[in-house]
Amino acid sequence: MKHTPLFGFHKGTANLTEFAGYEMPLWYTSISDEHLAVRNTAGIFDVSHMGRIVVEGPDSDRFLDRLLPTTASSQPSGKSFYTLFLTERGGIIDDLIALKISPNNYILVVNAANTEKDFDHMRAYSRGYDVRMSDTTSASTMIAVQGPHAQDTLSTLVSINLDGLKRFRNIATFVRDREATISRTGYTGEDGFEIIIHQVGMANPEPALEIWKELANTATPCGLGARDSLRIEAGYPLYGSDITEEYSLYEAELAWVISNDKHEFVGKEALDVGAGRKPERKRRGIVLDEKIPRSGFEVYAESAEKIGEITSGSFSPILRKGIGLGYLKDEDQEIGHPVRVKVRESLVGAKIVKPPFYDESLYGWKRLRER
Amino acid sequence: MVAGDYEIPEDLLYSREHEWARRLNGRVRVGITDYAAKTLNDVVYVSLPKLGESLAQFTVFGTVESIKAVSELYSPFSGIIVKLNEELNSHPELVNKSPYVEGWILELKPSDYQSERSALLGPADYAKHLATIATSTEHH
């Protein structure tokens, strides 16, 4: 199994699990405690397993404009944006965060399990473009610092004023004395940062371990268990569960990634056909009266007709209820609508909601902005 | 006794599916082991059977659900359910906090205690059973 530079910390402190070929922390103390630490104070996650593909060279803007539904060339330097890789048929190959460092210079952060597939996809379209692509995953470390106190935690390790770094922006700087790129993004619904520490990989893990331990003085180490429950509570899809090549981005409610000015990109023709039609099913959130929905559980209308399926589920430590994401048939997607979920032998009462599942005046990054 | 990170009380019998059984005045109290509780992590629901229901040895009588996973509960003995730990409805976390005392799940009146007990493990054999699981996990 593969390891990240922070494995020396995880081994002995975490309950470990295999994820995308890596041995990763599932939880250190308790998924619920780690989850609540992120909602109430701050948590840190080792996300070094996520793929990091650097794209550089004089045609990088043009190349990514061809590849992505989002116009990369018109993004300002220092912008981090969520986007997708699509097939010619409009299917979703992966979702990613693209960090535009400067014109013709990007870091694409992709799902760990898809790094090779994405790299192959990019290479397949790169002919005729003067671009260099390199997978820097194993030569760097990536840490997410998330929660309302994330800025306080990180500010002790950087010399820049983090007030100047807005949400969905990134900056090249130093963390301690190591070259790093900090992006104000995350996968928890909270304010926070994703830090790429360059040139600190498996060959020289010590600087990464030192930075992690310093962050852990004021933030709670969190495993993949809390990462999953937090992203479900925030309503974020997970590639492989909630979005795959089988779902269109209209069904997944991700059509907003298509820039208005986009004339040509991989998958556009298929999407233009889809844009004129009403999607047959749409991604929704579901809150259960009791029990916990899991992937594959069936959703029924009150008329007992099957209307969809759960694609990922969890217990919400904030609501103290089972919550799930899933796809529901067109006529049955109305927010607030009562439905039923088949949990093993019984049908459980549930309600359709629009994620996030929590009250945004109490939790999530928007509450900080409103203050 | 303690095996690795897990507590294994000496005075209990164990199933391979990680339930424990404690004899109490002709009844048997049942719960899940420290290993099971720690592996599940953060128990959030315990679905209990009904009082008076009769169970056969090693059949499923309920489920324990944590944030990440759901696990079935197997009865270590045949018998009739005479008591349920209703406290678990409002405080399922007792299974994590105190798997052998406050986190007990139900009590049975066993129908064939003497002959069925030989199908269960003593503490030393249960510790060996956990060691086997740990080794097989490492090889994955």
Side-chain angles (χ1 to χ4, degrees):
Chain A
M1 244 187 296
K2 289 192 275 187
H3 291 131
T4 73
L6 297 171
F7 185 70
F9 179 87
H10 309 323
K11 194 176 165 63
T13 57
N15 186 296
L16 300 164
T17 189
E18 191 272 337
F19 182 79
Y22 285 85
E23 193 168 19
M24 296 296 287
L26 184 57
W27 43 267
Y28 296 89
T29 57
S30 135
I31 294 173
S32 182
D33 290 354
E34 292 165 21
H35 181 112
L36 293 170
V38 172
R39 291 272 176 257
N40 295 320
T41 53
I44 47 173
F45 300 80
D46 178 9
V47 288
S48 305
H49 61 302
M50 305 236 4
R52 293 177 288 287
I53 301 171
V54 170
V55 182
E56 54 196 346
D59 291 341
S60 298
D61 280 351
R62 262 192 341 113
F63 170 59
L64 291 179
D65 280 353
R66 162 91 178 97
L67 209 55
L68 302 174
T70 317
T71 309
S73 60
S74 63
Q75 305 292 327
S77 295
K79 177 78 182 173
S80 302
F81 57 100
Y82 178 85
T83 187
L84 304 166
F85 284 134
L86 302 171
T87 65
E88 295 283 358
R89 298 180 57 199
I92 303 170
I93 293 175
D94 200 4
D95 63 344
L96 62 144
I97 295 276
L99 277 61
K100 183 164 184 174
I101 309 303
S102 59
N104 295 312
N105 187 1
Y106 296 82
I107 304 173
L108 309 184
V109 180
V110 304
N111 281 292
N114 294 341
T115 310
E116 277 179 45
K117 177 178 83 168
D118 294 344
F119 202 82
D120 291 345
H121 173 69
M122 293 169 71
R123 208 160 27 203
Y125 286 93
S126 65
R127 189 181 298 183
Y129 293 97
D130 187 358
V131 290
R132 288 186 304 281
M133 296 179 291
S134 38
D135 179 351
T136 63
T137 311
S138 61
S140 58
T141 300
M142 188 160 168
I143 299 172
V145 187
Q146 300 282 302
H149 298 178
Q151 182 168 331
D152 296 337
T153 291
L154 183 57
S155 61
T156 60
L157 278 79
V158 295
S159 55
I160 57 164
N161 182 355
L162 293 169
D163 280 334
L165 185 64
K166 303 298 178 198
R167 199 157 169 84
F168 286 102
R169 292 284 167 163
N170 66 71
I171 188 166
T173 181
F174 290 86
V175 173
R176 281 288 171 251
D177 57 344
R178 310 303 304 201
E179 270 186 51
T181 301
I182 301 178
S183 178
R184 196 159 197 153
T185 43
Y187 196 41
T188 61
E190 295 298 330
D191 182 30
F193 305 87
E194 293 174 300
I195 309 160
I196 301 169
I197 307 160
H198 304 294
Q199 314 295 336
V200 176
M202 279 311 289
N204 59 329
E206 286 77 16
L209 286 162
E210 277 168 35
I211 289 168
W212 175 269
K213 283 173 190 162
E214 281 196 67
L215 292 167
N217 287 333
T218 54
T220 303
C222 299
L224 294 181
R227 186 167 161 83
D228 195 51
S229 57
L230 285 158
R231 69 92 192 166
I232 294 174
E233 218 175 55
Y236 296 157
L238 171 65
Y239 191 86
S241 299
D242 309 300
I243 49 175
T244 66
E245 283 191 26
E246 303 307 309
Y247 298 108
S248 83
L249 77 184
Y250 296 106
E251 293 174 327
E253 299 268 35
L254 294 174
W256 60 268
V257 305
I258 306 172
S259 297
N260 291 330
D261 57 350
K262 241 14 236 288
H263 299 301
E264 203 200 337
F265 60 90
V266 177
K268 184 173 193 299
E269 281 170 34
L271 291 180
D272 283 347
V273 175
R277 293 192 204 135
K278 229 176 154 220
E280 281 175 24
R281 53 187 180 183
K282 276 196 170 176
R283 195 164 63 84
R284 288 287 180 260
I286 295 167
V287 183
L288 274 63
D289 297 338
E290 54 172 338
K291 302 190 176 164
I292 305 173
R294 307 287 181 188
S295 176
F297 284 14
E298 295 172 342
V299 184
Y300 291 84
E302 291 204 305
S303 64
E305 182 207 356
K306 187 188 163 189
I307 55 168
E309 249 176 49
I310 300 290
T311 48
S312 53
S314 179
F315 178 78
S316 161
I318 295 291
L319 300 184
R320 309 287 308 161
K321 281 184 173 172
I323 58 171
L325 302 173
Y327 286 84
L328 299 183
K329 266 165 72 178
D330 176 48
E331 61 270 30
D332 300 291
Q333 303 153 356
E334 259 174 79
I335 307 301
H337 214 82
V339 291
R340 282 182 284 189
V341 177
K342 193 173 179 188
V343 179
R344 292 176 286 279
E345 302 314 312
S346 54
L347 281 172
V348 174
K351 197 174 71 177
I352 302 174
V353 300
K354 188 176 165 61
F357 288 91
Y358 45 78
D359 178 345
E360 285 184 281
S361 68
L362 299 174
Y363 299 102
W365 63 276
K366 286 182 183 168
R367 67 177 143 161
L368 302 170
R369 196 180 56 172
E370 280 160 8
R371 257 175 216 158
Chain B
M1 65 188 287
V2 171
D5 299 332
Y6 312 112
E7 205 194 318
I8 304 175
E10 303 279 1
D11 55 341
L12 305 181
L13 290 171
Y14 298 89
S15 74
R16 288 173 190 280
E17 286 76 32
H18 313 290
E19 287 82 18
W20 55 261
R22 180 195 299 279
R23 194 148 201 212
L24 292 168
N25 312 319
R27 295 172 170 189
V28 172
R29 181 173 274 195
V30 176
I32 66 168
T33 65
D34 188 31
Y35 169 83
K38 282 186 174 144
T39 308
L40 277 166
N41 190 258
D42 287 320
V43 170
V44 290
Y45 288 112
V46 181
S47 73
L48 298 170
K50 289 191 177 69
L51 219 53
E53 205 174 297
S54 79
L55 302 173
Q57 191 179 28
F58 302 135
T59 55
V60 174
F61 68 81
T63 53
V64 185
E65 200 153 8
S66 70
I67 295 181
K68 280 299 287 179
V70 57
S71 179
E72 292 187 318
L73 296 164
Y74 296 85
S75 181
F77 283 101
S78 304
I80 291 170
I81 301 168
V82 292
K83 209 171 167 188
L84 294 168
N85 186 0
E86 307 275 0
E87 193 68 13
L88 297 180
N89 290 328
S90 47
H91 294 286
E93 71 277 6
L94 289 175
V95 172
N96 293 112
K97 281 187 189 149
S98 171
Y100 297 112
V101 184
E102 289 173 80
W104 66 278
I105 294 169
L106 56 76
E107 286 179 13
L108 288 172
K109 195 166 169 40
S111 51
D112 198 2
Y113 184 86
Q114 287 311 328
S115 66
E116 285 184 349
R117 62 174 294 173
S118 59
L120 296 167
L121 306 172
D125 286 335
Y126 181 63
K128 275 187 213 157
H129 178 56
L130 290 188
T132 326
I133 296 170
T135 327
S136 66
T137 318
E138 268 166 34
H139 284 294
H140 275 300

